[in-house]
Amino acid sequence: MTTSSKPDAAALLFEQHSRSETYSVMEKLRAQYARTPRDAVLAERFEKLIGAAVQRHDVTRPAGFDNRGVGSGLAIIGPTGVGKSRAIRRFLSRHVVLAGYDDPTSPSPLISVSAPSPCTSMQLARAILRRSGYPIERDLPAHRLWEMVWERLDLIKKFVLHIDELQHVTQHLSEKDMQEVVNLLKHAMEARRISIVISAVDTVLPFLQFDPQLFRRFDFMEFEKISPDTLGDLRCAVHDFAKSAGVTADESLETHRDFYSRLAHAGLGAFGYSIVLTHLAIERCLKSGDDKLTVEHFTGAFAQKSAFSLDRNPFKAERWHEIDCSALFVEKQIAPPEPSVKNRRKKR
């Protein structure tokens, strides 16, 4: 049997699992996007960057790829799990010009790459070349790899570069290596007229602040953790997902003490993680044959996801706000050893 005639194991497994109605519902549910007001802010920041990217360098000539000004930067910063990457992908995929960014042969002017972990500047260059449809197999020095990156992006007319998880490149750099990466980004914006979009956790901030010239070229957007002001967005998402799954959000979600605050706490304050827990609760509800999504479904979903005991389950515990939901095991207070018989006699 040739390789091409071998059965696709992924397709076979999907066919097996998709016979379940719950599986099909959850597949559609996980593809559904929960919109929040920050999507409009993200779109505004992107449009500002794109507008600057296509501004004419020579106002006497027509606009076009060869008549662009210098590039600028946008840094989208926030903790893991807040939904940065998904929000960016959704915006790009729905944009009238940027859509198709994941295909290097498309007319989209943007190319997006996720920095592997760990990642050096050489590995980042290779990742960009691979994403551009030009993989490099042989060993080349870093400066030559980056020359090839700029030449390749110029050839396929890409002038917006999105680097996701940039902290993987910058978190262990010496000052010398940090300056090298800074110079690469400045060269991209100034000499190559490429606009840079960065999405990363906040550990990347010291890198962006390392060089004042680089820092001034960037606008910043923070994807914050859930706050009392944004709990309403989480509530809307829970109700929307429940409706899409064909179940009703039980009134206990409204009457249970601080339910949405508890959900946000269980989700580490991150909107994306809180939605993951919501999906698991809905899946639990569907598998139980229930038509109402209750607090108990969330309690069970969290226990399954975290393996926490009931006294550390934020949906049940009285002092739920004191629970560290990021720590699987909590060190117990170890009582000091009893003094030996000999020591007790001395004290007498």
Side-chain angles (χ1 to χ4, degrees):
M1 183 180 288
T2 62
T3 303
S4 59
S5 62
K6 287 182 178 180
D8 186 327
L12 290 174
L13 289 169
F14 172 79
E15 182 181 356
Q16 176 186 349
H17 284 272
S18 61
R19 294 168 190 163
S20 162
E21 184 178 350
T22 297
Y23 184 88
S24 298
V25 170
M26 293 308 302
E27 181 185 42
K28 293 176 182 177
L29 207 65
R30 290 189 172 103
Q32 182 176 321
Y33 182 77
R35 292 187 61 188
T36 67
R38 69 187 181 188
D39 291 303
V41 179
L42 179 67
E44 179 186 344
R45 297 297 180 86
F46 252 104
E47 292 296 351
K48 178 183 176 183
L49 176 126
I50 295 164
V54 297
Q55 202 165 47
R56 291 180 297 171
H57 175 68
D58 183 348
V59 296
T60 65
R61 294 170 49 213
F65 182 78
D66 295 321
N67 189 21
R68 294 175 290 114
V70 297
S72 55
L74 172 62
I76 301 161
I77 309 297
T80 300
V82 293
K84 302 183 299 295
S85 299
R86 187 161 190 188
I88 292 169
R89 288 196 300 269
R90 180 180 181 274
F91 169 79
L92 296 178
S93 64
R94 294 165 64 91
H95 194 278
V96 65
V97 177
L98 302 181
Y101 68 95
D102 51 349
D103 179 2
T105 65
S106 79
S108 172
L110 182 141
I111 188 167
S112 178
V113 62
S114 182
S117 178
C119 185
T120 64
S121 66
M122 291 179 64
Q123 290 169 322
L124 179 60
R126 286 181 176 276
I128 296 171
L129 287 169
R130 282 195 300 273
R131 177 59 70 180
S132 73
Y134 192 75
I136 296 294
E137 301 298 334
R138 54 203 172 100
D139 291 331
L140 292 170
H143 73 275
R144 180 56 190 142
L145 284 171
W146 281 104
E147 285 173 1
M148 295 175 72
V149 166
W150 310 136
E151 291 166 2
R152 177 64 179 169
L153 296 187
D154 193 58
L155 178 66
I156 60 177
K157 290 183 165 48
K158 307 294 184 185
F159 55 87
V160 183
L161 173 62
H162 169 228
I163 306 173
D164 194 20
E165 308 290 1
L166 184 70
Q167 74 276 2
H168 293 164
V169 183
T170 62
Q171 58 191 358
H172 300 303
L173 292 181
S174 65
E175 283 200 7
K176 179 183 176 182
D177 292 336
M178 194 177 294
Q179 188 64 61
E180 178 188 340
V181 177
V182 164
N183 291 341
L184 285 169
L185 296 182
K186 289 197 297 185
H187 175 78
M189 288 189 276
E190 294 172 9
R192 312 305 303 198
R193 296 175 295 168
I194 294 172
S195 292
I196 305 290
V197 180
I198 288 168
S199 46
V201 300
D202 54 11
T203 56
V204 81
L205 287 174
F207 165 77
L208 293 172
Q209 296 167 342
F210 178 75
D211 185 300
Q213 289 183 340
L214 180 69
F215 185 75
R216 285 197 298 268
R217 283 170 170 77
F218 272 86
D219 282 345
F220 292 84
M221 177 181 177
E222 184 179 7
F223 267 53
E224 298 177 335
K225 289 189 174 184
I226 299 171
S227 69
D229 292 335
T230 56
L231 275 177
D233 298 333
L234 182 58
R235 179 185 179 277
C236 288
V238 171
H239 281 256
D240 288 345
F241 281 120
K243 183 179 180 181
S244 297
V247 298
T248 304
D250 188 68
E251 62 180 24
S252 65
L253 303 188
E254 309 302 325
T255 58
H256 186 67
R257 289 175 302 167
D258 304 313
F259 169 74
Y260 290 103
S261 295
R262 290 172 183 254
L263 174 55
H265 187 75
L268 306 180
F271 190 78
Y273 283 164
S274 300
I275 295 303
V276 168
L277 287 173
T278 301
H279 287 164
L280 291 173
I282 292 174
E283 185 173 28
R284 198 174 187 86
C285 175
L286 293 174
K287 287 183 175 180
S288 300
D290 300 329
D291 59 1
K292 289 189 176 181
L293 179 65
T294 68
V295 176
E296 293 304 320
H297 294 126
F298 282 89
T299 303
F302 182 82
Q304 177 186 344
K305 180 74 174 174
S306 66
F308 280 23
S309 56
L310 197 60
D311 64 322
R312 291 188 61 218
N313 192 308
F315 296 103
K316 282 292 184 183
E318 285 291 328
R319 304 177 70 84
W320 56 270
H321 54 282
E322 296 180 358
I323 299 170
D324 183 357
C325 293
S326 66
L328 180 57
F329 300 109
V330 177
E331 292 184 9
K332 295 180 178 179
Q333 294 290 335
I334 301 175
E338 287 289 329
S340 65
V341 175
K342 184 178 180 181
N343 287 340
R344 285 202 297 266
R345 286 174 179 171
K346 285 183 177 179
K347 289 181 180 178
R348 290 175 185 172

